[in-house]
Amino acid sequence: MIVAVTGGAGFIGSHLSEALLAAGSAVHVIDNLSSGYRANVPAGAVLHEADIRSSETRAVIAGIRPEIVYHLAAQADVQRSIADPAEDASVNVEGTLNVLAACREGGARKIVFASTSAVYGNVGKEVVSERDKAEPVSFYGLSKRTAEQYIRIYGQLHGLDYTILRYGNVYGPRQTPKGEGGVVAVFLDRLRQADSPVVHGDGEQTRDFVYVKDIVAANLAALNRGARETLNAGTGRATSVNELLRLLEQCRGVPIARRHAPARAGDIRHSRLDPRRARRILRWSAAYDAIAGIAETYVSTLPSNR
Ligand code: NAD
């Protein structure tokens, strides 16, 4: 099977590309390397260095005629979306529209979209399900929500199948200390530099941290399941930033000093995804708990166990 992965030089897209190759697919990565790296693209995948907003992307997809397009390329930084909402919308909305047009021209059967729990905003509930209203509180959440709607309506009008996966906070090897949900990578980066992690606010804010291998598995499950569905891809468990630091302390074997800074604008207080619909429809659930995922990430990031 031929697949295209936009954003395949990034953190999640590169893990997904690896898994698709291992499953025997021909993988074409479309990425402008704005936050991704050439070195992340696995050997065996073809890198097309192009912006998802460009006519080049259209030509590439029309030329390779992929059966599935995994659309992960994005402006994925909440704080940047607040600083420059126009650029965020340009990449995440116009870019998605261009990828949708390319899917049509290239005869793709399906698009699988990397959405986010940020579309929900502050729902004010313990667990957020797909039935809850999506009212984003950042421009990033809004641009992703808008892209979802374009995909849904595109599906209705043009018959393009889709699965929208709303990821929790993804972490794992190769994540850089920037972008969305990067707190694990930020903390590991501080530790690598023998510096103290900075906790914004009181550290009791919680997130649904999901290991990158589980997100890859959800994407693979969406190959043949989840037609025209929008599904949460999370663990269903909440982990606070303070708990995260405790897990890192366990890996490190010594206490970790921390610094405190004010809470950040646009940050959601609590975020935990109800994963039951994905379990039923995709027959997928997260296999890694926070302890296992953090340990694997720690070992691959700080191999010398400093
Ligand atoms: P990432 O920044 O590592 O990957 C994004 C990739 O897209 C990069 O390789 C970048 O170079 C590429 N890209 C950006 N703009 C582009 C453009 N205009 N044209 C072509 N390529 C472009 O981020 P990631 O964490 O791997 O995120 C992948 C996807 O998952 C994004 O859509 C993001 O919104 C979504 N997501 C991530 C998380 C998370 O916790 N990391 C959570 C929810 C959703």
Side-chain angles (χ1 to χ4, degrees), residues 6-13 30-37 50-53 71-76 91 113-117 140 144 167-171 175-176 178 180-182:
T6 74
F11 158 50
I12 302 169
I30 299 168
D31 200 301
N32 69 353
L33 305 180
S34 55
S35 62
Y37 301 93
D51 194 296
I52 51 164
R53 294 165 288 187
H71 179 33
L72 284 82
Q75 191 302 110
V91 177
F113 180 57
S115 191
T116 166
S117 57
Y140 168 70
K144 283 287 185 173
Y167 306 168
N169 281 59
V170 191
Y171 67 94
Q175 187 173 29
T176 57
K178 58 188 179 190
E180 203 204 333

Side-chain angles (χ1 to χ4, degrees), residues 212-223:
V212 66
K213 286 188 185 169
D214 282 324
I215 287 297
V216 166
N219 273 283
L220 296 184
L223 271 175

Side-chain angles (χ1 to χ4, degrees), residues 170-193:
V170 191
Y171 67 94
R174 288 208 287 274
Q175 187 173 29
T176 57
K178 58 188 179 190
E180 203 204 333
V183 61
V184 174
V186 170
F187 285 177
L188 285 169
D189 188 56
R190 292 276 176 168
L191 296 180
R192 198 187 299 117
Q193 295 181 35

